[in-house]
Amino acid sequence: MSRYEAFVARKREHILRALDDACQATGLSGLDDFELEHEALPDIDLDEVTLASRLLGQPAPTPFYVAGMTAGHPDAAKINRLLARACERRGWAMGVGSQRRQLSATRADAELDQWAQLRAEAPALVLFGNIGLSQIIGTPIHYLQDLVTSIRAQALAVHLNPLQECMQPEGTPQFRGGRAALQALCAELGVPVVLKETGCGFSARTLRSLEGIGLAAVDVSGLGGTHWGRIEGARAANTPGAGMQAQAAETFRNWGVSTAQSVIHARSTLPRVECWASGGVRSGLDAAKLIALGAERVGYARPALEAALAGEEVLDRWMAQQEHELRIALFCSGCIDPASLRLRHAAM
Amino acid sequence: MSRYEAFVARKREHILRALDDACQATGLSGLDDFELEHEALPDIDLDEVTLASRLLGQPAPTPFYVAGMTAGHPDAAKINRLLARACERRGWAMGVGSQRRQLSATRADAELDQWAQLRAEAPALVLFGNIGLSQIIGTPIHYLQDLVTSIRAQALAVHLNPLQECMQPEGTPQFRGGRAALQALCAELGVPVVLKETGCGFSARTLRSLEGIGLAAVDVSGLGGTHWGRIEGARAANTPGAGMQAQAAETFRNWGVSTAQSVIHARSTLPRVECWASGGVRSGLDAAKLIALGAERVGYARPALEAALAGEEVLDRWMAQQEHELRIALFCSGCIDPASLRLRHAAM
Amino acid sequence: MSRYEAFVARKREHILRALDDACQATGLSGLDDFELEHEALPDIDLDEVTLASRLLGQPAPTPFYVAGMTAGHPDAAKINRLLARACERRGWAMGVGSQRRQLSATRADAELDQWAQLRAEAPALVLFGNIGLSQIIGTPIHYLQDLVTSIRAQALAVHLNPLQECMQPEGTPQFRGGRAALQALCAELGVPVVLKETGCGFSARTLRSLEGIGLAAVDVSGLGGTHWGRIEGARAANTPGAGMQAQAAETFRNWGVSTAQSVIHARSTLPRVECWASGGVRSGLDAAKLIALGAERVGYARPALEAALAGEEVLDRWMAQQEHELRIALFCSGCIDPASLRLRHAAM
Amino acid sequence: MSRYEAFVARKREHILRALDDACQATGLSGLDDFELEHEALPDIDLDEVTLASRLLGQPAPTPFYVAGMTAGHPDAAKINRLLARACERRGWAMGVGSQRRQLSATRADAELDQWAQLRAEAPALVLFGNIGLSQIIGTPIHYLQDLVTSIRAQALAVHLNPLQECMQPEGTPQFRGGRAALQALCAELGVPVVLKETGCGFSARTLRSLEGIGLAAVDVSGLGGTHWGRIEGARAANTPGAGMQAQAAETFRNWGVSTAQSVIHARSTLPRVECWASGGVRSGLDAAKLIALGAERVGYARPALEAALAGEEVLDRWMAQQEHELRIALFCSGCIDPASLRLRHAAM
Ligand SMILES: Cc1cc2nc3c(=O)[nH]c(=O)nc-3n(C[C@H](O)[C@H](O)[C@H](O)COP(=O)(O)O)c2cc1C
Ligand SMILES: Cc1cc2nc3c(=O)[nH]c(=O)nc-3n(C[C@H](O)[C@H](O)[C@H](O)COP(=O)(O)O)c2cc1C
Ligand SMILES: Cc1cc2nc3c(=O)[nH]c(=O)nc-3n(C[C@H](O)[C@H](O)[C@H](O)COP(=O)(O)O)c2cc1C
Ligand SMILES: Cc1cc2nc3c(=O)[nH]c(=O)nc-3n(C[C@H](O)[C@H](O)[C@H](O)COP(=O)(O)O)c2cc1C
């Protein structure tokens, strides 16, 4: 198996595992402990309710985004374009998966073609680039700028996944110098930088350490949905000789800070940085709760992937469902838009 | 299917679903978290205990009522008369279901006949009219006065059901102007106005907004019993093409403020408005707990319907059961009547 | 069926039901929420640990007693004598069951014979008489003194069971004047009066109302073991036409104040009255916990009955088991006797 | 059966029972209630993380030890040597099981041979002697010094097991004078003394009483893993005539202070005594949590025994697993070594 074939095989397995319920930290998002307050007498009509909100200082039709997912499998490009067209059509933003391969000369051309086609089909889509923290350490800024340019991204998301890096045999658990590299990136990249976790969330301690670094947004991506410890554990369980990783994954299967808790931490420690929430968001009501807790945007990874794999129509229906449910939650809270819901709770 | 046939079919399904345990928010009323204090040495005899209480300033033999239910099915009139006779006989009050159809000229005559017959059989019954908030917005007061007159009602209940209005395809989720319409109604109607939910309860926020509007009573009808999100969801699940509603209903299946919590909110925010409690009341002990929490009256919808469908004798036994249990709860709390129980806890 | 036959049948069923686990409020005693503190380094030897304690101001070999149980069935006298001999032998106290029948002339002689024989076999046993609160109201004191004399009792227990009186068809839920009658009794009886519940415990409110009445002890007999609501419910469930009682019993199946909570209340509201604890005590460790919470004595009803029905040997082994477990609990708490354990916790 | 044969049979059964899940107080260690905080952005590389720590003032490669276990069965010596070699190789410390038999002249020689061979194979191993509290009372110090000398121990662990001593028919529940004997031992032994429980932990009260006694360390060995009440109970359940012990064991099956709680107590009451934590430690993440709570060392008994019984390779892999998981926990907490983790939490 060539290195590229191994890469494809790994990414294919990641997707398969992400779709497996056993790799979801279901019940741990903290959202079940938090209920919105019913407003029996909303002084509005349902059709006045709007999802319009703001994204990195710009107006946006909805507060939703599809969180970045590396595809890697043969249909990758197709899925990405499907998501891109749907997001553009419905006014959602979208993050691409890790662009790490573009940093290695050999694969760059194929990637560039893919992005060109995607952008041709969804020119107005708000799109975020994506790269891992380990990759920005020591990489000259202009290479990272190339990532942004290649997809004409509105922002670059830098992802953190220390647990996964420990767990996966191919991992790069090298984070020394990360914070400094991040600060330099924010200063020089030219587009906003979003720092995101990938399913383990942020503690108050980590968030405090991010003050003044120059981030435009934090995507908390907390515990409660796709869990990379579990995914790597499931992979290891099927790999001869990887008993130790499998066991470690089992041990760390609930590791992380819940999405709800991460948002609460973010609101109180970094009030001037946008707070985006992903990780275990599974309905428009979950989205509403996170907005009430302080999130400006709400993202879905796994459910968006699942819907996209079922085709354009299912994907569109699933997106409409999230919007419908958020609208009901707003109406039954007596709020005309997401910002009203967030501000009401901030005032408490 | 004519519009009227569709209406009848819908109402018939509502009843069917209301009787289905899956549409009951069982366990969420908050009543299981609250226990009355046993009085080992009551200084009274059981036969001294009385259920006599007050209703809208008048003496009443019991603190119970049957909460309003639209019937709609062919036997509707029969069930209503059965309930009316039983309530009159036992000294319970009764609310009728939504009188919305009377507002449309075509059906008004049939309705009027029905009410005339009911009143003929239960002339002394304390009866409440019923209309939805959406319906009072923009409707001239004298039409609403006609509703009251038609049944010789002692009060008019205005019901709130924003969640159901969002959920049901035929819904009218238009509440803008509702509070103002309510205030006008209270000022001009001529009989007391009761504001009631229909199974999702009241938050403290909503209740605070009702101060000074002129309401005689709030019937909290909170989470814990019949849940209209669930009922509309069950309907949608059986309707081709209604997948989105069905899914939304699933998402909102626990939406609402519990009955116990709603009563607590009502007592502290609106001390001068009567507090009536319905929603998930399933025994005379539940009733006693709500009285201890501050309710002046306690209402049943679904259990009363179920008993009435089983015939006059079962209905009468079921009502006697509620009274018997409330009496035991009072005796074993050392209280001679409902007011003593409410006042004791208010003093805490 | 004669009145006496009905009485015997009822008592027989009471015993049968008391032995049925479904009539036990298992898990509700509050004892599982409270753990003794392990003392890893007790500065004593196990064989120094003594159970010696005090009872109504006198030294007693153990802090245990068998709580009063009406027998009523043919073997009644036999069981009572079995218990009496075992209690005397092991230094436990014992309460007899309700002596109500002795107040009615017809049965008095048979009873007196029975007691004479019992006392002949267990002359040194510390024994308590037993009568219901309803019975002392209006009964001249000298009749009650006769009850005491008939068994040469060291004290008279007056039992409270308002819930049971409501539940059982033969019940006498007449408690008006009870407190006054109790006060008179304490003043004139000549032996100490113990006020006891029968499985529903005491609230702080009830206990406060007992201050200054002249009681020597309160036996809290709280929720957590034999539950008379459940027993009467099980009886009713098998009686044609008693559907309402059966349903009410179901509704009140968890009614009462837990034994642990009752003891805590008693310690803080009536510090100068002895606190005895029964109701759901099922091991010597349970006993130790209640002593730590403040009880001076600990009583068993149902388990003692069960053991006695299995014969003298089983009864003796069961009693030894309770003593053995209490001794272990004392040793592993570093306490040389029950009083040390109680005082240590009182100091906290 | 000779006395020696009975001893061997008992020890063999102890091991068998210790391996039985029913004798483990699983879920009671208190560790599930405590979560480490995820650090999404550790400013270190995984391979910088070190397990180096200190033990009784000396540098040590890991913070781990295998807690003392009497073997007794024929392979005892073999298992001990296996553990000793593995511990020496991986930089773990090790405690031997009770050396009580060495105090009786008859068996001393066989024991001495065994230790000589063990020490020959693992000369650099950090090793602790082991003796019960009952044994040190009244035993001249020089006999205890012989125990230390025989295995060239770096420290002597004195174990406390009052519950087990009560439970086992062969027990010696004589602890009077224990604290004084301990103080004398600390003063005169010449090597550090560690006081350890055996699965029931320490209350704050016990720990406070240890101040100033001269202990070098406390090994809390709390509730949550191997439970000697349960083990003796399982033995008794299979012994004719031991029904009372079996029942008592059932009653005391959850007796003890949890390992997590014991460590918290130790940190606040005895800040200058080293805190070692064992009892229900089942992963490297458990170890990390205990270090965060304040433990300087973390020990395993049952899991080490189980791995050793499966052979050298399994044992080695199991030890590597614990180290791997502790390393991941440190990295994902942003800590470079165990001390950083402990100090961070101490500062909170
Ligand atoms: C198949 C898959 C691939 C992913 N790849 C990336 C990635 O390349 N970069 C990244 O930042 N996050 C990646 N994620 C993480 C998601 O962006 C998101 O943070 C996480 O899955 C939690 O959201 P969820 O619970 O809705 O799935 C991936 C998630 C999935 C399911
Ligand atoms: C079949 C049915 C029809 C109902 N129709 C009405 C109605 O027309 N107007 C109204 O105010 N409430 C209506 N309700 C709501 C009840 O008055 C009550 O608020 C709610 O059912 C909660 O009480 P429960 O849990 O005892 O059923 C209806 C309830 C049922 C079960
Ligand atoms: C069969 C039976 C008969 C009882 N009869 C009496 C009685 O006559 N008088 C009384 O004060 N309590 C009576 N009790 C109540 C007990 O004294 C005790 O308060 C109660 O059973 C709770 O203790 P337990 O959980 O250990 O059974 C009786 C209990 C049982 C089981
Ligand atoms: C088979 C076995 C034998 C033991 N023998 C001793 C002993 O002789 N001395 C001692 O101090 N502790 C002894 N222990 C207790 C352990 O050192 C430890 O405190 C306890 O087992 C809790 O740890 P664990 O949950 O990891 O097993 C023994 C434990 C086991 C499993």
Side-chain angles (χ1 to χ4, degrees):
Chain A
M1 196 154 57
S2 76
R3 204 150 144 201
Y4 176 62
E5 283 166 349
F7 169 83
V8 170
R10 183 168 82 238
K11 292 301 162 185
R12 200 176 267 153
E13 191 171 359
H14 277 164
I15 285 174
L16 219 84
R17 299 291 175 199
L19 296 175
D20 178 358
D21 284 349
C23 294
Q24 298 289 315
T26 306
L28 301 180
S29 69
L31 289 169
D32 295 343
D33 301 338
F34 174 71
E35 300 295 340
L36 293 180
E37 284 211 322
H38 176 56
E39 169 58 71
L41 190 59
D43 206 353
I44 46 176
D45 293 349
L46 178 61
D47 56 20
E48 294 176 284
V49 171
T50 168
L51 302 187
S53 45
R54 298 186 69 80
L55 165 63
L56 299 173
Q58 304 296 320
T62 80
F64 291 120
Y65 62 98
V66 170
M69 291 177 278
T70 2
H73 58 104
D75 307 327
K78 205 178 119 203
I79 293 287
N80 265 339
R81 275 153 40 207
L82 194 67
L83 285 168
R85 282 195 311 264
C87 284
E88 187 191 46
R89 199 165 54 236
R90 302 201 70 97
W92 291 37
M94 174 179 164
V96 300
S98 173
Q99 296 175 279
R100 178 177 179 184
R101 274 192 301 162
Q102 282 177 254
L103 296 177
S104 74
T106 42
R107 298 292 317 163
D109 285 357
E111 302 288 326
L112 293 180
D113 279 7
Q114 184 190 325
W115 297 136
Q117 202 178 340
L118 184 151
R119 264 308 187 190
E121 294 184 19
L125 171 67
V126 174
L127 198 63
F128 318 126
N130 187 291
I131 192 71
L133 183 79
S134 306
Q135 277 73 57
I136 68 163
I137 304 173
T139 302
I141 298 272
H142 67 95
Y143 283 105
L144 303 170
Q145 279 162 337
D146 286 352
L147 299 182
V148 171
T149 318
S150 70
I151 60 169
R152 286 190 270 133
Q154 271 72 17
L156 178 65
V158 176
H159 70 253
L160 306 174
N161 58 346
L163 183 66
Q164 190 195 11
E165 297 294 358
C166 291
M167 292 282 167
Q168 71 174 343
E170 312 83 356
T172 53
Q174 283 98 40
F175 281 60
R176 178 169 291 281
R179 195 172 282 103
L182 207 54
Q183 184 152 19
L185 186 70
C186 293
E188 299 171 40
L189 184 67
V191 298
V193 174
V194 179
L195 188 66
K196 82 183 280 287
E197 240 290 342
T198 50
C200 288
F202 285 87
S203 63
R205 180 187 179 86
T206 307
L207 289 163
R208 272 192 300 268
S209 80
L210 296 173
E211 226 201 299
I213 271 191
L215 295 170
V218 169
D219 177 351
V220 301
S221 212
L223 180 69
T226 306
H227 194 276
W228 287 94
R230 297 193 190 193
I231 289 180
E232 296 299 342
R235 276 181 71 204
N238 283 6
T239 311
M244 190 175 295
Q245 286 100 307
Q247 180 58 46
E250 183 58 28
T251 296
F252 287 87
R253 66 197 311 277
N254 292 342
W255 181 269
V257 185
S258 78
T259 299
Q261 194 57 58
S262 299
V263 167
I264 292 168
H265 287 328
R267 281 302 70 187
S268 62
T269 56
L270 293 176
R272 274 182 303 272
V273 174
E274 271 191 27
C275 172
W276 302 3
S278 64
V281 188
R282 297 297 175 259
S283 70
L285 177 55
D286 281 351
K289 290 182 179 183
L290 288 165
I291 289 168
L293 288 173
E296 262 116 348
R297 314 228 101 217
V298 181
Y300 304 80
R302 194 254 211 188
L305 177 65
E306 190 173 39
L309 287 172
E312 182 144 22
E313 202 183 309
V314 170
L315 177 61
D316 202 74
R317 261 207 313 272
W318 172 82
M319 294 171 85
Q321 180 83 35
Q322 309 312 308
E323 298 171 9
H324 180 54
E325 293 181 355
L326 175 54
R327 222 173 252 122
I328 295 177
L330 290 172
F331 179 66
C332 290
S333 300
C335 292
I336 207 150
D337 64 4
S340 315
L341 183 60
R342 203 179 57 252
L343 293 174
R344 165 180 315 167
H345 284 260
M348 286 185 188
Chain B
M1 195 153 60
S2 77
R3 204 149 144 201
Y4 176 63
E5 283 165 350
F7 169 83
V8 170
R10 182 167 83 238
K11 292 302 164 187
R12 199 176 269 154
E13 191 171 0
H14 277 164
I15 285 173
L16 218 83
R17 299 293 175 197
L19 296 174
D20 178 357
D21 283 348
C23 294
Q24 297 290 313
T26 306
L28 301 180
S29 68
L31 288 169
D32 295 342
D33 301 339
F34 175 72
E35 299 296 340
L36 292 180
E37 284 212 323
H38 176 55
E39 169 59 68
L41 189 59
D43 206 352
I44 46 177
D45 293 350
L46 178 61
D47 56 21
E48 295 176 284
V49 171
T50 168
L51 302 187
S53 44
R54 299 186 70 80
L55 165 64
L56 300 172
Q58 305 297 320
T62 81
F64 291 120
Y65 63 99
V66 171
M69 292 177 278
T70 4
H73 59 104
D75 308 326
K78 206 179 117 202
I79 293 285
N80 266 339
R81 275 154 38 210
L82 194 67
L83 285 168
R85 282 195 311 263
C87 284
E88 187 191 47
R89 198 166 53 237
R90 303 201 70 95
W92 292 36
M94 175 179 163
V96 301
S98 174
Q99 296 176 276
R100 178 177 179 184
R101 274 191 302 164
Q102 283 177 253
L103 295 178
S104 75
T106 43
R107 298 290 317 160
D109 285 357
E111 302 289 326
L112 294 180
D113 280 4
Q114 184 190 324
W115 298 135
Q117 200 179 340
L118 185 149
R119 264 308 187 191
E121 295 183 20
L125 171 67
V126 175
L127 198 63
F128 319 126
N130 188 291
I131 193 68
L133 183 79
S134 306
Q135 277 72 57
I136 68 164
I137 304 174
T139 301
I141 297 272
H142 69 95
Y143 283 105
L144 302 170
Q145 279 161 335
D146 286 352
L147 299 182
V148 170
T149 319
S150 69
I151 60 169
R152 284 190 272 133
Q154 272 71 16
L156 178 67
V158 176
H159 70 253
L160 305 174
N161 59 346
L163 184 66
Q164 190 195 8
E165 297 293 359
C166 291
M167 292 281 166
Q168 72 174 342
E170 311 83 358
T172 53
Q174 282 99 40
F175 281 61
R176 178 169 292 280
R179 196 172 282 102
L182 207 53
Q183 186 152 18
L185 186 70
C186 293
E188 299 170 42
L189 185 65
V191 298
V193 175
V194 179
L195 187 65
K196 82 182 280 287
E197 241 289 344
T198 50
C200 289
F202 285 88
S203 63
R205 179 186 180 87
T206 306
L207 290 162
R208 272 191 300 268
S209 81
L210 297 173
E211 225 201 299
I213 271 190
L215 295 170
V218 169
D219 177 350
V220 301
S221 211
L223 180 69
T226 306
H227 193 275
W228 288 94
R230 296 194 190 193
I231 289 179
E232 296 298 341
R235 276 181 71 205
N238 283 6
T239 311
M244 191 175 295
Q245 286 100 305
Q247 179 58 47
E250 182 58 29
T251 296
F252 287 88
R253 66 197 311 274
N254 292 341
W255 181 270
V257 185
S258 78
T259 298
Q261 194 57 58
S262 298
V263 168
I264 293 168
H265 287 329
R267 281 302 71 186
S268 61
T269 56
L270 294 176
R272 273 181 304 270
V273 175
E274 271 190 28
C275 171
W276 302 3
S278 63
V281 187
R282 297 298 175 261
S283 71
L285 177 55
D286 281 351
K289 290 182 179 185
L290 288 165
I291 290 169
L293 288 173
E296 261 116 348
R297 313 228 102 215
V298 181
Y300 304 79
R302 194 255 210 189
L305 177 65
E306 191 174 39
L309 288 172
E312 182 143 22
E313 200 184 309
V314 171
L315 175 61
D316 202 74
R317 261 209 312 272
W318 172 82
M319 293 171 86
Q321 181 82 35
Q322 309 312 308
E323 298 171 9
H324 180 53
E325 292 181 357
L326 176 54
R327 222 173 252 122
I328 295 177
L330 289 172
F331 179 66
C332 290
S333 301
C335 293
I336 207 150
D337 65 4
S340 316
L341 183 61
R342 202 178 58 252
L343 292 174
R344 166 182 312 168
H345 283 261
M348 286 188 189
Chain C
M1 197 153 60
S2 76
R3 204 148 145 202
Y4 176 62
E5 281 166 349
F7 169 83
V8 170
R10 181 166 85 239
K11 291 303 164 187
R12 200 177 267 152
E13 190 170 0
H14 277 164
I15 285 174
L16 218 83
R17 299 293 175 197
L19 296 175
D20 178 358
D21 284 348
C23 294
Q24 297 290 314
T26 306
L28 300 181
S29 68
L31 288 170
D32 294 342
D33 301 340
F34 174 72
E35 299 295 341
L36 292 181
E37 285 212 322
H38 176 55
E39 170 58 70
L41 189 60
D43 207 352
I44 46 176
D45 294 349
L46 178 61
D47 55 21
E48 295 176 284
V49 171
T50 168
L51 304 187
S53 44
R54 297 185 71 80
L55 164 63
L56 299 173
Q58 303 298 320
T62 80
F64 292 120
Y65 63 99
V66 170
M69 292 176 278
T70 3
H73 57 106
D75 308 326
K78 205 179 120 204
I79 293 285
N80 267 339
R81 275 154 38 209
L82 193 66
L83 285 168
R85 282 194 311 263
C87 284
E88 186 191 47
R89 198 166 52 237
R90 302 202 70 98
W92 293 37
M94 176 180 163
V96 301
S98 174
Q99 296 175 277
R100 178 176 180 184
R101 275 190 303 163
Q102 284 178 250
L103 295 178
S104 75
T106 44
R107 299 289 320 161
D109 284 357
E111 302 288 326
L112 293 180
D113 278 4
Q114 184 189 326
W115 298 135
Q117 200 178 342
L118 184 149
R119 264 307 187 191
E121 294 183 22
L125 171 66
V126 174
L127 197 63
F128 318 125
N130 188 291
I131 192 70
L133 183 78
S134 307
Q135 277 72 59
I136 68 163
I137 304 174
T139 301
I141 297 271
H142 68 94
Y143 284 105
L144 302 170
Q145 278 161 337
D146 286 353
L147 299 182
V148 170
T149 318
S150 70
I151 61 169
R152 286 189 271 132
Q154 272 70 17
L156 177 66
V158 176
H159 69 254
L160 305 174
N161 58 346
L163 183 67
Q164 191 195 8
E165 296 295 358
C166 291
M167 293 282 165
Q168 71 174 342
E170 311 82 356
T172 52
Q174 281 99 40
F175 282 59
R176 178 168 291 280
R179 195 171 284 103
L182 208 52
Q183 186 152 17
L185 186 69
C186 293
E188 299 170 43
L189 184 66
V191 298
V193 174
V194 179
L195 188 65
K196 82 181 280 288
E197 241 287 344
T198 50
C200 289
F202 285 87
S203 63
R205 179 185 182 87
T206 307
L207 290 162
R208 271 192 302 268
S209 80
L210 297 173
E211 227 201 299
I213 271 190
L215 295 170
V218 169
D219 177 351
V220 301
S221 212
L223 180 69
T226 306
H227 193 277
W228 287 94
R230 297 193 191 194
I231 288 180
E232 296 299 342
R235 277 181 69 204
N238 283 6
T239 310
M244 190 175 296
Q245 285 99 307
Q247 179 58 47
E250 182 58 29
T251 295
F252 287 86
R253 66 197 311 276
N254 292 340
W255 181 270
V257 185
S258 78
T259 298
Q261 193 58 58
S262 299
V263 168
I264 293 169
H265 288 329
R267 280 302 71 185
S268 60
T269 56
L270 295 176
R272 271 180 305 271
V273 174
E274 271 191 29
C275 171
W276 302 3
S278 63
V281 187
R282 296 298 175 260
S283 70
L285 177 54
D286 282 351
K289 290 181 179 185
L290 288 164
I291 289 168
L293 288 173
E296 261 116 348
R297 314 226 102 217
V298 181
Y300 304 79
R302 193 253 212 190
L305 177 64
E306 190 174 38
L309 288 172
E312 181 143 24
E313 200 185 309
V314 171
L315 176 61
D316 201 74
R317 260 209 312 273
W318 172 81
M319 293 172 87
Q321 181 82 35
Q322 308 312 309
E323 298 170 9
H324 179 55
E325 292 180 357
L326 175 54
R327 222 173 253 122
I328 295 178
L330 289 172
F331 179 65
C332 290
S333 301
C335 292
I336 208 150
D337 66 3
S340 316
L341 183 61
R342 203 179 58 251
L343 292 174
R344 166 181 313 168
H345 284 260
M348 287 188 188
Chain D
M1 198 154 58
S2 78
R3 204 149 145 201
Y4 177 63
E5 281 165 350
F7 169 83
V8 170
R10 181 167 85 237
K11 291 303 164 184
R12 199 176 268 152
E13 190 171 0
H14 276 164
I15 286 174
L16 218 84
R17 299 292 174 198
L19 296 175
D20 178 358
D21 284 349
C23 295
Q24 298 289 314
T26 306
L28 300 180
S29 68
L31 288 169
D32 295 343
D33 300 340
F34 175 71
E35 299 295 339
L36 293 180
E37 284 212 323
H38 176 55
E39 170 58 70
L41 189 60
D43 207 353
I44 46 175
D45 294 349
L46 178 61
D47 56 19
E48 294 176 284
V49 171
T50 168
L51 302 186
S53 44
R54 298 186 71 79
L55 165 62
L56 299 173
Q58 304 298 319
T62 81
F64 291 120
Y65 62 100
V66 170
M69 292 177 279
T70 2
H73 57 104
D75 307 327
K78 208 180 117 203
I79 294 284
N80 266 339
R81 273 152 41 207
L82 194 67
L83 285 168
R85 282 194 311 263
C87 284
E88 187 191 47
R89 200 166 52 238
R90 302 202 70 97
W92 292 37
M94 175 178 162
V96 300
S98 174
Q99 295 176 277
R100 178 176 180 185
R101 274 191 300 163
Q102 282 177 254
L103 294 178
S104 75
T106 42
R107 298 292 316 162
D109 285 356
E111 302 288 327
L112 293 180
D113 280 5
Q114 183 190 326
W115 298 136
Q117 201 179 340
L118 185 151
R119 264 307 186 191
E121 293 183 22
L125 171 67
V126 174
L127 198 62
F128 319 125
N130 188 292
I131 192 70
L133 183 79
S134 306
Q135 277 72 57
I136 68 165
I137 303 174
T139 301
I141 297 272
H142 68 94
Y143 284 105
L144 302 170
Q145 278 161 337
D146 286 351
L147 299 182
V148 171
T149 318
S150 70
I151 59 169
R152 285 189 273 134
Q154 272 71 18
L156 178 66
V158 177
H159 71 254
L160 306 173
N161 58 347
L163 183 67
Q164 190 194 9
E165 297 294 358
C166 290
M167 293 282 166
Q168 70 175 343
E170 312 83 356
T172 53
Q174 283 98 40
F175 281 60
R176 178 169 293 279
R179 194 172 283 103
L182 207 53
Q183 185 152 17
L185 186 69
C186 293
E188 299 172 40
L189 184 66
V191 299
V193 173
V194 180
L195 187 66
K196 80 182 283 287
E197 240 289 344
T198 51
C200 288
F202 284 88
S203 63
R205 180 185 180 87
T206 307
L207 290 163
R208 271 192 300 268
S209 80
L210 297 173
E211 227 201 298
I213 272 191
L215 295 170
V218 169
D219 177 351
V220 301
S221 213
L223 180 70
T226 306
H227 193 277
W228 287 95
R230 297 193 191 193
I231 289 180
E232 296 299 342
R235 278 181 69 203
N238 283 6
T239 310
M244 190 175 296
Q245 286 98 309
Q247 180 58 47
E250 183 58 30
T251 296
F252 288 86
R253 66 197 311 276
N254 293 340
W255 181 270
V257 185
S258 79
T259 298
Q261 194 57 57
S262 299
V263 168
I264 293 169
H265 288 328
R267 279 303 69 186
S268 62
T269 56
L270 294 176
R272 273 181 304 272
V273 175
E274 272 192 28
C275 171
W276 302 3
S278 64
V281 188
R282 297 298 176 258
S283 70
L285 177 55
D286 281 351
K289 290 181 178 184
L290 288 164
I291 290 169
L293 288 173
E296 262 116 349
R297 315 227 101 216
V298 181
Y300 304 79
R302 194 256 210 187
L305 177 65
E306 189 174 40
L309 287 173
E312 181 143 26
E313 203 184 306
V314 171
L315 176 61
D316 201 75
R317 262 210 311 273
W318 172 82
M319 294 171 85
Q321 180 82 34
Q322 309 311 309
E323 298 171 9
H324 180 54
E325 292 180 357
L326 176 54
R327 224 173 250 123
I328 295 178
L330 289 172
F331 179 66
C332 290
S333 301
C335 292
I336 207 149
D337 64 5
S340 316
L341 183 61
R342 203 179 57 251
L343 293 174
R344 166 180 312 167
H345 284 260
M348 286 186 188

